[in-house]
Amino acid sequence: MALTVGTDAPAFTTKDTNGNVVSLSDFAGKTVVLYFYPKDDTPGCTKQACSFRDAQAEYQNKDVVVLGVSADDEVSHQAFTNKYNLNFPLLADTDQSLIKAFDVDGGGYAKRVTYVIDGNGKIVHVDASVNTATHASDVLAQLGL
């Protein structure tokens, strides 16, 4: 069962697509869309990532950070990013510590769940019923952004 609205988002530190160390605290004061997905370069995951890619300018204009998370490693994330020209970071959760902390363990992969975290680190929205093709615009609409 996913974490609930009003809960403090678990703190994390991991590496992104390019090997940079990323922590949730890096985004203090900003809204973060943290979306978990099962696997790089699979049909549903590709649709979801491309929906965020296509809406990235709108997210940036609203000062919202998008981060994708899967258990794939940095090399897989780099290939996925390059193949689809993704314009936001993917986080490598090879030890599945984020997957477990955010309670989205699907048995070796991440369940498709999106958390919106406010600038104070509180979860303000949870979406566990994702339409991969329209997810990015769905999140913006749900947040009234």
Side-chain angles (χ1 to χ4, degrees):
M1 175 131 212
L3 301 179
T4 57
V5 169
T7 305
D8 286 334
F12 64 80
T13 300
T14 192
K15 290 192 175 179
D16 72 6
T17 310
N18 299 313
N20 300 312
V21 175
V22 176
S23 298
L24 181 58
S25 60
D26 295 343
F27 307 104
K30 292 188 174 203
T31 299
V32 175
V33 173
L34 186 70
Y35 84 92
F36 289 86
Y37 65 98
K39 186 146 183 62
D40 288 344
D41 207 8
T42 56
C45 298
T46 299
K47 281 182 193 173
Q48 186 176 20
C50 289
S51 80
F52 279 111
R53 176 201 65 204
D54 295 346
Q56 188 60 13
E58 207 171 340
Y59 277 90
Q60 287 176 329
N61 288 341
K62 310 246 187 253
D63 205 24
V64 176
V65 176
V66 174
L67 302 170
V69 184
S70 78
D72 295 302
D73 63 18
E74 294 159 49
V75 172
S76 177
H77 283 344
Q78 287 169 358
F80 187 41
T81 294
N82 291 337
K83 184 174 181 178
Y84 294 100
N85 298 311
L86 302 181
N87 50 9
F88 58 90
L90 301 175
L91 304 182
D93 189 27
T94 56
D95 67 358
Q96 298 186 16
S97 59
L98 274 80
I99 290 168
K100 290 180 176 101
F102 281 85
D103 201 19
V104 295
D105 189 352
Y109 64 91
K111 292 180 188 173
R112 195 178 309 280
V113 176
T114 297
Y115 291 96
V116 179
I117 303 163
D118 73 10
N120 297 314
K122 289 259 188 232
I123 295 170
V124 295
H125 181 75
V126 180
D127 189 350
S129 300
V130 172
N131 177 332
T132 57
T134 61
H135 189 54
S137 58
D138 294 344
V139 171
L140 285 170
Q142 290 161 348
L143 296 176
L145 297 176

